[in-house]
Amino acid sequence: MQQVDKNKFPDKIAIFLFYYFSLNHDKMKKILFIIAFFAICSYNGSASISPLSSATSSPSYIIPADPLQHFSSLSMKEIQKLAGRKLTLKEKIGIKVLQWKIRKGINNGKKEVVRGKGHTAKILGIIALAALFVPLVGPFASLTCAILALVFGYSALKADPGDRQAKSGILMGWITIGLFVLALLLIIAILSTWSWGGWG
């Protein structure tokens, strides 16, 4: 008589994926959960059936803190060890594609936040340069936008050093500050040489 072994690979993965996604409600993670769930359920059913005598001696599996990242970092030998059998070529290719999609999804989620800060820095840099030439209120609004462009730009560069939008926002912020200081020095120089027509 054979009994279904609850400690085999597909059941354990399904349990900790369900646990992980019940706590996190991001849309991308739900999509990855569905992909992972169908990939795990598509295994041959005979892989999870074992004799009654080996059901009591199977090793326990510890659920990691971030199961998706853990699953994406497993080698093929570790996955075969968890599965308790040698995987077919089709299964190996499917697992490698799934691991690649998980890594890509995790990295894209991090880059979206950084991309928003870089884009904000670029927009603030453009506004700062444009506001510099507006009379009266423009120079002070320009200085404020330039400082904010620098703050957002350096924050985005810290997270992703290759962000071009953040670099352009920083460049426009420094150009605006330089032009502001140059205009201020020019105004001071003109006012210091100005004669007040007999008042002195």
Side-chain angles (χ1 to χ4, degrees), residues 26-75:
D26 295 329
K27 186 175 183 179
M28 184 65 186
K29 290 180 181 176
K30 286 183 181 180
I31 292 171
L32 289 174
F33 170 72
I34 292 170
I35 292 169
F37 184 74
F38 283 111
I40 290 167
C41 291
S42 67
Y43 279 105
N44 190 356
S46 63
S48 62
I49 298 176
S50 63
L52 183 60
S53 62
S54 67
T56 57
S57 64
S58 62
S60 62
Y61 187 76
I62 298 171
I63 298 174
D66 190 3
L68 277 180
Q69 194 168 12
H70 176 71
F71 180 74
S72 68
S73 67
L74 289 176
S75 69

Side-chain angles (χ1 to χ4, degrees), residues 83-102:
R85 65 182 177 89
K86 188 172 182 175
L87 300 176
T88 64
L89 180 64
K90 184 178 178 182
E91 291 171 336
K92 288 179 185 179
I93 292 171
I95 287 175
K96 284 298 178 186
V97 169
L98 178 64
Q99 286 178 333
W100 176 77
K101 286 184 179 182
I102 289 172

Side-chain angles (χ1 to χ4, degrees), residues 142-162:
S142 174
L143 188 63
T144 305
C145 287
I147 292 171
L148 287 174
L150 290 173
V151 168
F152 279 108
Y154 282 119
S155 174
L157 270 184
K158 190 180 221 181
D160 182 18

Side-chain angles (χ1 to χ4, degrees), residues 171-191:
L171 180 66
M172 285 186 273
W174 281 116
I175 289 172
T176 304
I177 289 174
L179 288 174
F180 180 80
V181 169
L182 186 66
L184 192 64
L185 291 174
L186 186 64
I187 290 172
I188 290 173
I190 289 173
L191 288 178

